[in-house]
Amino acid sequence: MRTVATLTGASRVLGRSLQLVLVTLVEVVVGLFTGRLGEALASLRALLGLMPRTLPIVARRQAIRGQRAVPEREVLGLQVRGSSRLTSYLRGKETATYVGADTTVRRWREASFGPPLTWFCVILAIVIGSRALIRHGVPAVGEFLPFPDSPRQLLHDYRSSFDPRGFGATVALPTGYAILSVASALTLFRMPLMMTVTVIGLYLVGGLGAWRVATVFPVSRARIAALVVYVGTPLVPGVLGAGDFSGLVWFAALPWLVHLIKRGAGLDTADPSTAVIDLVDGVAQVDLRHRFRAIAFATLVLASTAAFVPVAIALFAVCGLLIAFATLLVGGAWRVAAWLAACTAIASLLAFVLNLPWALDWTWTTVTGPQTAGASGRNAYDVASLAPDNLRFGVLALALYVPVVAAVAITRAWRLTWSARGAALVIGFGALMLLADRGALPIDMPRPSLLAVPIALGLAINAAALVGGFGTDVLGRGFGWRQPAALLANLAIVVGLVPAAVSIGDGSWNTPQPPLTTFLDSQLPLDATQGDFRVLYVGDPRVLPVPGREYTPGVAYAVVDGGALDFTDRFPTAETAGDAAVERTLQLVAQGSTLRAGRLLAPLGIRYIVLPETDGVASTNDAPIPVPAGLIAAFRNQLDIGSLPGPPALTVFANDAWIPVAAQLTGATADASKLAGDDALVRADLALAKPLMVGADGRPASSAEVTPGVVHLAIPYDSRLHLQVDGTELTSRPGFGTATDFDVTEPGTAVLSYARDSTRSLWVAVQVVLWLAVLVVAAGARASFGRRRVDDVHDETLIDLTDAPPLSLGVAGEVLGLPVWNDDDELVFEPESQPDDEATPPGDEPSEPADRPEPKLRPASRPAPIPVGRDQRGSARTPTAFGAAQAIDDAGDDAELDLAGLVASVDDDEEHT
Amino acid sequence: VTRRRLPLMAIVLAAIVGAVWAGQHRLQPEYPAFSAAAIGWMPAAPPVGGVTETWFCPGVPATGVDDVGGSMIIVNRTSELRVGTVLVFNERAENRRLELSVDPYTTARVDLDATLAGEMVGGVVEVDGGGVLVEQQSFHPSGNSSAACSNATSDTWYLADGSTVDGSLDQVVLSNPYDQTVIASLQFATREGSRAPSAYDGITVPARSTRVIDLGAPGAGAQGEPVLAVTVQSTRGRLVVGRFQRFLGGGRLGTQVTLASPAPREQWWFANGFTGEGVTERYSIYNPTDDDVQVDPIFVGIPDAVQLDDPISVPAHEVVVFEPALVTSLPAGPYALVFSALDQPSVVIERATTTQSDDDIATTVIAGATPRPDGYLATSWYVAEAPGDATAGALVIYTADNATGTVTVSAIGASGPVPVPGLIDVVVPGPGAVLRLDLTDPSVVGRPLLIESDNRIFVERAFPDGRGDLRYSAWAIPVS
């Protein structure tokens, strides 16, 4: 950098300086995630080191000025354009490592126009299918509720110990708050844009993950098959149309998780030439460090997923165990199965830890959500199609199961092993989904879309196995049933993609217009003069606009603050005394034990009771989910709850007896607040309540003028809530047996405050440290943080202009094409025109080794086939023709996006082991 | 098939078989139920221990003139003091709220015409802790009657048997106990079919008031109708609907207040049927749904059950009259009758019985009893107030279970229920038998009664209407 700063001409020095800064920052970010943090920090140090050396550099520039023999533009004309690092990175993509029974070989990768064309088509399809979302933003359907406007506030809320959602409580807030807040930087804190990018991006990330999983297959068409099947199942249109954020996140994460645990288990692309010996798996020799990296990376992915979908940890555990079981079932090495299981278990455990302290509030009931009443009555074939009911030709997706069976019946060697793993996912989760749909499981189960994601991945894996092995397992064998069966299965893949392809035409994945939330906003307007209020939703859990809490199977409820719903409402809330009061009231209403439910709900600030009937997604006008029997009647029967006119999608009731969330109580109402119990409440006079401190429901920090009586806060009693009147601290007490009330004896200015839980900061700090620790392990950083410091900053002669320039092992060495080390004893050359098995007739792989072209030694200077051998020390490594270039670019095989780059670094390290 | 592939293939094949089996054995969808109590049923005594218990009395004439009056009786069936409120309102939306305190096992009475006189006075009784029975009573020179008040409001109500022949009064009482105005519409069915006059669309019932719709009034659209079924549908809010009938012709005489039925059902039971000299019975089967239905009447409580060869067809929104006297295979005498609709809950059935005694005639109309929506049938029933005089055949009990058993009647006094001598462990003659009990013991006079059986039973009462031996029909109150 000092050289650049010294030698760059005056006209370009400013631009070069900016370029240096930007490139260094990018390098730091990339280095953090690719295991080259040390190099990145070195670059950063070099950049920062320029500042104290400014004067010496200026002096040297002046000294050099007189020695310029040619104009700078001529020097520029002689320089090679572009980024040497990028070039070497891309060059690294041209080869791939294959794991054989005893050796690991690096060969030219198949050069095909298929992958870019496929990706282009997939991205185009997703963009076209999402065009309405891109143009108008993501509609507030299901969990696609708008992100909060302020990421800063979101982060602040996360650091707080008070959760204002629901009834409000001192609890840890979801880790997703912090992730969202940090991630918002990617869209420059534009939250609507972030929602769109997130929704569409997660779809693509899932597809990319499937592609990565399919890298175990050496041919591109296998990866193409995995990609198109995974993104082309009807699952995703259904998830997007329903606003199923949980399903989408899980869809994006699962293939990456599977990819990472397979890396942790040492599974890699098997050498196609070993097909004849029925190689069960391509098991690479990897050391613990690389296993830990893979596990750490899986932990990060899983923890991030669990931050939004806690049940993903359990689902992933089942996935990992199924894959391990399938490995054993088809004769795989027990060590591989054990590593698969161990990676899964460790990643799951650590993901839980990374979500502490929020994770302490998880229960199986809260993470799975409320359950339906029992059997859905859907046809098993409809369930298996993974298609939503409103998707045309959804039943055609059943064709995607044909390759599952065909792959199991036809494929051989490691492809059979992967077919077994895919089939395990399909059968295992298919059975769970069918049994759950029939109400035949004794435990609560996650929603169907979450169970469907592993099925989709299993379908993709087996499609890849079948397509990838078409040459060897089908064409390479004698004519028989396999050929027509395989052709039929390939055709089935095309047929199975029809429903998803058809769904593209809608442009918004069949999201309902207008969404249910539109009605809610118009029906339940905020009015500051009336005070803050809450809304109680009761109904079938599938039609509630936010995740509910189960009252009985098939009936759930949720309490939210008045005003528009936002993304934070999609997270389950902690159970409080308020929830117990609501459930008790619902029970009384259901039993007909009171017709004064309004009074029972009044101290909780519940002004409206909304019974959703149709949401346009799970329950439509054409196929409505019946409202739980007696629900509407039971509320209509109440004497202090009145009906409000509204759209047919909702039945809205107004609680005539409601008390604002923050209220000044006087007279009989103030007296009533000292009593507890339903008996007292139904007799109480609740009319003498005035709104106070508007906004206190969201943030208990406000002030207002009060009169003698009671200040009532509809927040379950919390001793951290404080009220001072003219500087005098008032003692809090439970109000109406549930809320937090303060007795006011003198008029004055009341100031409400909340004493933050001091341990929350510690928790957050520990959590940040844990995340960073796992991140560092995942990044494989081995940088020496103990920077050697020099006492005196001095410039030194970097280039002796009087002598010939030395050859270095850096970029210059690469440019000159000088090998640094090339112990090519085991060099194997596959002509570029015949990449791996794809080019070896008759199919992807030769049926007999003798048919394969003889390996040839290649010139050491030729930048091509790179075997992976073992050096004399016995450690595996990757010789390269580029020597120092390899040191710069030891990226993995094919990482197209950043995330791919991250994982590629894990791959890469293993390849070099 | 390699050894590696074999177990995998076995599992895949098993999965395929399982999937195909599941595809061919589709389950019926299970729908959640939130509240059985809120789904319309006949008046019932809820379990004791609720926070509050509320009873809605649709209204009775309580002008206080010409011996026309009404009352509400509140029976405390528990051993503890019960307190609450009684809200009384009339057709002018005048209200009066009374504090209520009822000692254990005693009865409180609200004299409606003295409290708040009106053409039609209704009320709401709210009792903390529950454990009461509430009935409304109508006193009229042409016949007294009483009917249990409703436990719940509803947005639909049905009346199957009405008559406006010869100037007979058929008044539908819309009672709104809520603080909001209720909007309702009314349609009726006659022999000519169903009608929904625009005059009956958008009827407003102000908060805490009653409104009387006189179907036989000039211009009301149902004058001179011998058969008149009514549907009341509230489009905003909920109501309690009752009926006041005064029969003046068409072979009918007498006065009665009844409660409408909140929902159509698929099964209706009648315990106190009779064919023979001096008694005319007809059953009005009203189908308020949009589909035609078939209804099967089965005569039980007789040595050999009688069933019609063909079910009765009831077109949508129409009412069909069925007269047992025309069933030739039915022997004369008492019987019980169950109607069973072959489809979903779809009909409302009422029985009109006209009895001639000496020179007087009494007509009484009663809707059938139904099982609770979840299929529950009670084994214990209450009567809020026994007749003031010894009455033979006052209770008619039909045992729904196909088993023998016993019935015990207890009178509720200050110390609680006390079995009535002669009415202890009365043996039911046989499965599906009808039992007629006399309330002649002095200990039962004017007292609340508790009827308990070891079988599921229906208890219909045939109490004097104040005109000699003439009776009116009403159901006792089942324990929910």
Side-chain angles (χ1 to χ4, degrees):
Chain A
M1 286 198 187
R2 271 174 273 165
T3 303
V4 172
T6 302
L7 298 181
T8 302
S11 61
R12 287 184 170 80
V13 69
L14 182 60
R16 283 285 183 270
S17 301
L18 289 175
Q19 195 175 1
L20 278 179
V21 172
L22 289 176
V23 168
T24 305
L25 290 177
V26 169
E27 193 176 5
V28 168
V29 173
V30 173
L32 180 65
F33 292 102
T34 56
R36 283 180 286 276
L37 188 60
E39 298 166 29
L41 291 177
S43 297
L44 185 62
R45 281 199 301 266
L47 179 68
L48 297 176
L50 291 179
M51 285 187 282
R53 293 183 175 87
T54 304
L55 291 179
I57 289 174
V58 170
R60 281 192 59 78
R61 288 177 62 86
Q62 290 172 346
I64 289 170
R65 186 182 300 162
Q67 299 188 40
R68 279 189 186 278
V70 294
E72 189 180 17
R73 62 177 179 276
E74 291 188 22
V75 177
L76 284 174
L78 295 172
Q79 290 179 339
V80 177
R81 295 290 177 184
S83 164
S84 62
R85 294 187 179 186
L86 182 62
T87 302
S88 59
Y89 170 79
L90 293 175
R91 197 171 294 155
K93 306 284 97 184
E94 297 171 357
T95 59
T97 304
Y98 300 108
V99 181
D102 302 313
T103 59
T104 301
V105 185
R106 193 166 181 88
R107 295 199 190 95
W108 286 110
R109 183 187 296 279
E110 170 193 6
S112 168
F113 194 57
L117 179 63
T118 305
W119 271 107
F120 174 78
C121 292
V122 166
I123 292 173
L124 186 65
I126 293 175
V127 168
I128 292 174
S130 308
R131 58 189 183 277
L133 277 57
I134 295 170
R135 290 175 58 192
H136 308 298
V138 178
V141 173
E143 293 179 86
F144 289 169
L145 298 171
F147 287 144
D149 293 334
S150 169
R152 176 184 294 180
Q153 186 61 49
L154 199 60
L155 193 59
H156 178 270
D157 288 345
Y158 176 70
R159 291 170 51 226
S160 165
S161 59
F162 184 77
D163 184 355
R165 299 171 306 133
F167 292 110
T170 297
V171 291
L173 280 95
T175 315
Y177 277 39
I179 293 177
L180 267 186
S181 180
V182 172
S184 65
L186 297 175
T187 55
L188 301 178
F189 311 108
R190 295 180 62 185
M191 304 308 274
L193 174 63
M194 186 180 165
M195 172 57 84
T196 305
V197 169
T198 301
V199 168
I200 298 172
L202 285 174
Y203 196 174
L204 285 170
V205 168
L208 187 59
W211 182 275
R212 295 294 304 170
V213 169
T215 54
V216 291
F217 302 103
V219 291
S220 295
R221 64 168 179 266
R223 302 169 193 187
I224 291 171
L227 169 66
V228 297
V229 168
Y230 193 59
V231 300
T233 60
L235 168 68
V236 185
V239 163
L240 291 171
D244 186 351
F245 192 86
S246 299
L248 193 57
V249 170
W250 176 229
F251 172 84
L254 179 61
W256 290 99
L257 292 168
V258 171
H259 174 66
L260 288 165
I261 62 166
K262 88 174 167 51
R263 287 298 189 188
L267 297 178
D268 210 329
T269 312
D271 189 348
S273 66
T274 62
V276 291
I277 60 171
D278 198 15
L279 181 66
V280 175
D281 262 323
V283 185
Q285 297 295 321
V286 290
D287 60 19
L288 277 179
R289 175 175 171 268
H290 295 94
R291 293 191 198 275
F292 288 158
R293 282 197 64 202
I295 292 172
F297 221 121
T299 299
L300 284 179
V301 175
L302 186 58
S304 302
T305 305
F308 299 94
V309 195
V311 76
I313 292 179
L315 291 173
F316 172 61
V318 176
C319 287
L321 293 178
L322 280 173
I323 290 172
F325 169 74
T327 303
L328 293 175
L329 187 71
V330 291
W334 69 267
R335 286 179 187 276
V336 171
W339 271 112
L340 286 169
C343 291
T344 302
I346 296 171
S348 300
L349 179 66
L350 291 178
F352 180 86
V353 172
L354 289 187
N355 276 283
L356 292 174
W358 179 48
L360 292 176
D361 292 329
W362 293 351
T363 64
W364 184 245
T365 302
T366 57
V367 300
T368 54
Q371 303 294 296
T372 55
S376 73
R378 292 182 72 200
N379 189 303
Y381 302 128
D382 292 337
V383 176
S385 73
L386 312 183
D389 291 336
N390 61 351
L391 186 61
R392 286 182 296 164
F393 313 118
V395 73
L396 291 181
L398 289 175
L400 293 174
Y401 288 87
V402 175
V404 175
V405 181
V408 168
I410 294 174
T411 58
R412 295 181 298 173
W414 74 89
R415 295 173 298 279
L416 175 61
T417 310
W418 278 101
S419 298
R421 290 170 181 142
L425 291 177
V426 172
I427 295 171
F429 280 89
L432 283 178
M433 195 163 70
L434 275 178
L435 291 172
D437 186 75
R438 298 170 75 88
L441 292 175
I443 60 169
D444 293 351
M445 290 301 292
R447 68 180 74 165
S449 64
L450 297 178
L451 297 175
V453 170
I455 297 174
L457 183 61
L459 296 177
I461 289 173
N462 280 37
L466 182 74
V467 172
F470 193 79
T472 304
D473 301 328
V474 179
L475 298 181
R477 302 172 79 170
F479 185 77
W481 60 270
R482 292 181 181 85
Q483 285 76 19
L487 284 174
L488 187 67
N490 279 278
L491 180 64
I493 293 175
V494 177
V495 173
L497 297 175
V498 168
V502 168
S503 69
I504 293 172
D506 180 74
S508 62
W509 306 107
N510 296 312
T511 50
Q513 293 294 340
L516 178 65
T517 49
T518 305
F519 298 127
L520 297 175
D521 292 346
S522 60
Q523 284 288 306
L524 316 173
L526 286 173
D527 181 359
T529 61
Q530 300 278 311
D532 294 322
F533 63 85
R534 297 196 176 106
V535 182
L536 169 64
Y537 293 93
V538 189
D540 189 290
R542 290 168 289 184
V543 299
L544 295 188
V546 293
R549 196 178 297 282
E550 184 172 303
Y551 168 66
T552 60
V555 183
Y557 71 93
V559 176
V560 299
D561 289 333
L565 299 173
D566 72 21
F567 189 77
T568 60
D569 290 312
R570 68 161 292 280
F571 292 99
T573 55
E575 188 165 7
T576 66
D579 295 293
V582 168
E583 289 185 24
R584 200 167 58 245
T585 302
L586 290 177
Q587 190 175 11
L588 293 172
V589 170
Q591 292 172 343
S593 294
T594 185
L595 296 187
R596 294 290 180 185
R599 291 184 184 179
L600 298 178
L601 297 174
L604 304 172
I606 293 173
R607 182 180 184 185
Y608 295 107
I609 296 140
V610 179
L611 314 181
E613 296 177 42
T614 57
D615 64 348
V617 180
S619 176
T620 61
N621 290 331
D622 295 333
I625 292 175
V627 178
L631 178 62
I632 294 176
F635 276 98
R636 279 195 175 152
N637 216 18
Q638 301 298 314
L639 290 167
D640 51 5
I641 293 177
S643 297
L644 290 181
L650 305 167
T651 302
V652 183
F653 297 97
N655 182 2
D656 299 332
W658 79 290
I659 298 175
V661 173
Q664 165 88 61
L665 311 182
T666 55
T669 307
D671 295 338
S673 72
K674 297 182 175 67
L675 303 174
D678 299 332
D679 297 346
L681 202 51
V682 294
R683 286 195 294 267
D685 179 359
L686 304 179
L688 302 176
K690 290 182 180 176
L692 203 69
M693 299 178 182
V694 174
D697 61 336
R699 208 148 289 107
S702 186
S703 63
E705 295 297 320
V706 296
T707 58
V710 171
V711 171
H712 168 77
L713 291 175
I715 297 171
Y717 180 73
D718 193 336
S719 60
R720 296 184 179 282
L721 291 168
H722 296 278
L723 188 76
Q724 289 185 333
V725 176
D726 291 340
T728 304
E729 179 86 19
L730 301 184
T731 305
S732 62
R733 62 167 174 80
F736 300 101
T738 305
T740 306
D741 283 12
F742 301 89
D743 294 314
V744 180
T745 54
E746 299 292 335
T749 302
V751 178
L752 176 68
S753 61
Y754 173 80
R756 184 169 179 263
D757 182 359
S758 57
T759 63
R760 178 64 180 160
S761 297
L762 181 63
W763 274 112
V764 172
V766 170
Q767 194 176 22
V768 169
V769 168
L770 287 175
W771 277 80
L772 287 177
V774 176
L775 189 61
V776 166
V777 175
R782 285 181 294 186
S784 169
F785 289 97
R787 172 81 172 102
R788 290 170 301 161
R789 305 193 68 82
V790 291
D791 295 336
D792 300 318
V793 176
H794 64 278
D795 194 11
E796 57 193 57
T797 301
L798 298 176
I799 302 174
D800 185 350
L801 298 171
T802 60
D803 296 334
L807 289 178
S808 71
L809 295 183
V811 176
E814 177 192 352
V815 171
L816 295 173
L818 296 179
V820 176
W821 55 278
N822 52 356
D823 45 349
D824 292 343
D825 298 342
E826 297 177 32
L827 279 182
V828 178
F829 175 57
E830 301 287 354
E832 189 168 357
S833 59
Q834 294 180 345
D836 63 70
D837 54 338
E838 186 71 3
T840 55
D844 304 313
E845 302 153 24
S847 56
E848 297 294 335
D851 294 337
R852 304 180 67 242
E854 283 295 323
K856 295 181 291 186
L857 288 177
R858 65 163 181 77
S861 59
R862 180 169 179 172
I866 307 162
V868 177
R870 291 183 181 278
D871 61 16
Q872 293 178 347
R873 296 183 300 275
S875 61
R877 63 180 183 177
T878 305
T880 171
F882 300 122
Q886 175 65 24
I888 296 170
D889 169 39
D890 56 354
D893 32 19
D894 56 347
E896 282 76 7
L897 298 180
D898 284 344
L899 190 53
L902 302 185
V903 182
S905 70
V906 179
D907 307 347
D908 177 67
D909 278 348
E910 291 166 3
E911 290 164 4
H912 292 214
T913 303
Chain B
V1 178
T2 65
R3 196 177 56 176
R4 286 180 61 202
R5 202 186 307 271
L6 202 55
L8 181 61
M9 284 298 294
I11 292 176
V12 169
L13 288 175
I16 293 172
V17 170
V20 171
W21 180 88
Q24 293 177 342
H25 294 77
R26 185 175 181 172
L27 297 180
Q28 288 299 314
E30 295 178 41
Y31 298 122
F34 177 76
S35 170
I39 301 173
W41 193 36
M42 59 192 301
V48 178
V51 176
T52 58
E53 191 173 295
T54 308
W55 293 74
F56 302 92
C57 301
V60 295
T63 57
V65 297
D66 298 332
D67 294 331
V68 175
S71 67
M72 289 196 306
I73 58 171
I74 301 108
V75 178
N76 181 356
R77 57 188 171 96
T78 72
S79 59
E80 297 174 359
L81 174 73
R82 284 290 181 255
V83 296
T85 60
V86 178
L87 174 70
V88 180
F89 47 82
N90 60 17
E91 74 283 359
R92 297 187 296 274
E94 295 171 330
N95 290 211
R96 189 161 177 199
R97 186 178 290 278
L98 310 173
E99 294 297 323
L100 177 70
S101 177
V102 193
D103 289 329
Y105 298 122
T106 59
T107 300
R109 186 180 301 274
V110 178
D111 188 341
L112 293 177
D113 45 299
T115 304
L116 184 68
E119 182 189 357
M120 202 64 69
V121 181
V124 179
V125 177
E126 286 185 89
V127 177
D128 299 337
V132 299
L133 308 167
V134 181
E135 280 195 353
Q136 62 176 10
Q137 296 177 329
S138 169
F139 307 109
H140 199 280
S142 58
N144 303 330
S145 63
S146 67
C149 296
S150 175
N151 302 104
T153 57
S154 176
D155 46 13
T156 54
W157 291 91
Y158 306 95
L159 294 159
D161 189 288
S163 171
T164 55
V165 173
D166 297 335
S168 294
L169 278 179
D170 195 333
Q171 296 181 325
V172 178
V173 182
L174 310 182
S175 179
N176 175 12
Y178 294 98
D179 294 336
Q180 296 90 22
T181 298
V182 171
I183 300 174
S185 61
L186 188 147
Q187 67 180 48
F188 52 81
T190 63
R191 286 178 304 184
E192 283 74 37
S194 175
R195 276 184 281 170
S198 58
Y200 291 152
D201 191 21
I203 301 169
T204 58
V205 187
R208 296 179 175 180
S209 73
T210 60
R211 178 161 181 175
V212 179
I213 307 296
D214 187 353
L215 297 174
Q223 282 181 285
E225 293 290 350
V227 179
L228 187 58
V230 178
T231 294
V232 177
Q233 171 85 50
S234 66
T235 53
R236 180 184 170 190
R238 284 159 72 93
L239 293 167
V240 182
V241 174
R243 175 177 54 192
F244 173 72
Q245 289 172 297
R246 186 177 180 193
F247 303 109
L248 299 172
R252 295 182 174 191
L253 281 176
T255 302
Q256 188 171 19
V257 291
T258 49
L259 181 68
S261 300
R265 302 302 302 276
E266 69 273 40
Q267 212 174 70
W268 295 83
W269 295 77
F270 296 88
N272 189 19
F274 188 89
T275 57
E277 193 80 18
V279 176
T280 304
E281 281 188 345
R282 82 172 191 193
Y283 292 85
S284 298
I285 307 168
Y286 177 40
N287 171 15
T289 69
D290 295 330
D291 301 310
D292 297 350
V293 295
Q294 306 280 316
V295 178
D296 246 341
I298 304 172
F299 293 90
V300 292
I302 52 180
D304 296 311
V306 174
Q307 186 170 7
L308 300 189
D309 293 336
D310 298 314
I312 301 168
S313 181
V314 187
H317 299 290
E318 292 195 12
V319 58
V320 170
V321 171
F322 169 67
E323 296 183 27
L326 302 179
V327 180
T328 54
S329 56
L330 179 66
Y335 66 89
L337 180 58
V338 55
F339 289 91
S340 180
L342 304 181
D343 300 305
Q344 296 295 314
S346 50
V347 292
V348 176
I349 303 176
E350 291 182 343
R351 184 192 69 207
T353 305
T354 302
T355 307
Q356 185 165 6
S357 174
D358 300 329
D359 295 331
D360 214 346
I361 295 176
T363 301
T364 179
V365 179
I366 182 174
T370 63
R372 204 166 61 186
D374 59 0
Y376 167 81
L377 285 177
T379 57
S380 298
W381 295 63
Y382 281 103
V383 171
E385 189 175 56
D389 300 311
T391 305
L395 295 177
V396 182
I397 300 171
Y398 173 73
T399 305
D401 288 331
N402 191 23
T404 57
T406 60
V407 173
T408 297
V409 178
S410 302
I412 299 177
S415 57
V418 177
V420 178
L423 296 179
I424 302 172
D425 292 336
V426 178
V427 177
V428 178
V434 174
L435 190 66
R436 292 175 177 276
L437 300 180
D438 302 332
L439 297 179
T440 53
D441 190 275
S443 65
V444 305
V445 174
R447 293 266 176 87
L449 304 178
L450 171 61
I451 301 103
E452 298 171 290
S453 174
D454 41 13
N455 288 323
R456 299 178 300 168
I457 54 176
F458 291 99
V459 181
E460 190 176 334
R461 49 185 172 161
F463 288 180
D465 72 352
R467 295 181 294 152
D469 197 35
L470 294 175
R471 310 287 181 93
Y472 71 91
S473 295
W475 289 101
I477 300 173
V479 174
S480 180

